[in-house]
Amino acid sequence: MRPIWSGAISFGLVTIPIKVFPATESHAISLHQFHVADGGRIRYRKVCEVDGKELTSEEITRGYETAVGTIPVTDEDLDALPLPTAKAIEIVAFVPTESIDPIRIGASYYLAAEGVAAKPYELLRQALERSSKVAVAKFAMRDRERLGLLRVLDDVIVLHGMRWPDEIRDASQVEVPDVEVSDEEIEAAIALADTLSGRDLGQMHDEYREALDKLIQAKTAGTRPEPVETPAPASAEVVDLMAMLEKSVSQAKASRTGGGDATVHDLPAAKKTTKKTAPAKKTAAKEAAAKKTAGRKPRSA
């Protein structure tokens, strides 16, 4: 792997020079656009709106568009910004792992240290590991300051990019259906969850990419892959949840045959319940919250 960034971890008065490596990679199959009539490749070119000329990367700069015109912002301008995190990952807090909401986690990077940086790197790694905490940090990469999370994975310190608090949209903007479910249905759902527990996530793979790869190989050979049955789309009609849960548990048990052990709970005996209809109107508190949400302007993600 090649490092994509180098700098240092600022840990109080301790400075740890590090190199940053991408921790993930994409295996997606890239498809291009072609002209149907003659097979010509369709490309996107950078063309100036003023003179219509196609430009090279050396002829292009960046800027911020305002009401009075575009304000250019050069690489020199960005390098001169008074940013303490320009070449450092500055740890600002240590927090319990469970206090971090997964919705805030972004891209991941491996951090490596060499030479004299090995000892302070190991010091931070063991401090994170023994405290069972993660470190919240600030760092600058690709022209903006970011929030990050440091944790230990297989003896390596990993940096996860994080979204700033104001980048997370308010969940109250999503309308939640006002319906009721029975205790028996909830217990059945928990039994299904127990049946599906213990699966080795390392064995999961991208079935769509594999199918697309087979399609390309077959068409290259002048054939087409064998058609497969696709599952019917989910029905919007009201279904018997208990019956569907019972069937799901049976299928899950069958799929686990020969696999690892899973904790399986028996389904509760179904009881006859009177079908309850959702209230025609929400409570006054919910109505007030809905009106407040409708009038709120969504924040940009």
Side-chain angles (χ1 to χ4, degrees):
M1 293 190 295
R2 294 183 178 180
I4 61 172
W5 189 78
S6 61
I9 300 175
S10 176
F11 177 33
L13 297 178
V14 178
T15 300
I16 312 172
I18 49 93
K19 292 182 179 179
V20 178
F21 298 85
T24 61
E25 60 185 358
S26 174
H27 292 163
I29 297 175
S30 299
L31 300 178
H32 301 296
Q33 293 183 325
F34 292 88
H35 185 192
V36 176
D38 54 23
R41 174 78 179 274
I42 306 300
R43 299 180 184 273
Y44 294 95
R45 294 183 169 88
K46 299 176 180 179
V47 178
C48 177
E49 293 182 352
V50 177
D51 57 21
K53 293 182 180 179
E54 183 178 347
L55 306 178
T56 63
S57 299
E58 291 73 20
E59 299 175 287
I60 301 174
T61 187
R62 63 174 68 82
Y64 184 79
E65 194 169 350
T66 68
V68 296
T70 302
I71 308 299
V73 180
T74 66
D75 291 338
E76 291 75 17
D77 293 330
L78 296 175
D79 291 339
L81 289 176
L83 209 63
T85 56
K87 293 295 287 183
I89 299 172
E90 181 185 2
I91 295 177
V92 296
F94 285 84
V95 299
T97 304
E98 59 272 14
S99 69
I100 302 298
D101 193 319
I103 196 173
R104 299 184 63 179
I105 303 297
S108 303
Y109 309 92
Y110 292 134
L111 305 184
E114 300 174 347
V116 295
K119 186 170 183 177
Y121 180 96
E122 180 65 12
L123 173 67
L124 176 59
R125 189 192 70 79
Q126 291 205 28
L128 289 169
E129 201 167 47
R130 294 190 186 185
S131 66
S132 299
K133 291 183 178 181
V134 293
V136 177
K138 294 170 68 177
F139 67 104
M141 183 185 291
R142 294 170 182 167
D143 302 339
R144 70 186 183 94
E145 189 174 56
R146 301 164 183 260
L147 195 61
L149 179 76
L150 295 174
R151 71 180 183 96
V152 177
L153 175 65
D154 296 335
D155 297 332
V156 176
I157 297 177
V158 183
L159 169 65
H160 298 283
M162 290 180 63
R163 296 175 178 85
W164 295 98
D166 61 358
E167 292 181 318
I168 307 299
R169 289 181 171 174
D170 193 342
S172 65
Q173 298 182 50
V174 180
E175 185 176 353
V176 179
D178 191 359
V179 296
E180 294 183 9
V181 291
S182 67
D183 289 339
E184 289 78 12
E185 290 169 334
I186 296 173
E187 289 298 324
I190 293 174
L192 175 58
D194 288 339
T195 305
L196 295 174
S197 65
R199 184 172 183 180
D200 182 5
L201 299 184
Q203 301 299 317
M204 300 183 71
H205 56 278
D206 187 346
E207 297 182 33
Y208 178 85
R209 180 178 63 84
E210 292 178 355
L212 180 57
D213 185 45
K214 289 181 180 179
L215 172 64
I216 293 173
Q217 291 183 23
K219 297 193 76 171
T220 302
T223 61
R224 292 190 66 87
E226 292 293 329
V228 296
E229 294 185 8
T230 56
S235 173
E237 296 180 0
V238 177
V239 297
D240 185 339
L241 285 179
M242 283 300 296
M244 295 301 292
L245 287 167
E246 290 174 353
K247 184 177 179 181
S248 298
V249 170
S250 298
Q251 291 180 347
K253 288 181 178 179
S255 67
R256 294 300 295 264
T257 302
D261 294 334
T263 303
V264 180
H265 291 188
D266 292 331
L267 280 170
K271 297 180 180 179
K272 292 185 179 180
T273 57
T274 305
K275 183 179 179 181
K276 297 182 179 180
T277 57
K281 295 183 179 180
K282 296 184 178 180
T283 63
K286 289 188 176 181
E287 287 181 349
K291 290 179 180 179
K292 183 177 179 181
T293 302
R296 184 189 300 127
K297 186 177 180 180
R299 293 173 290 188
S300 57

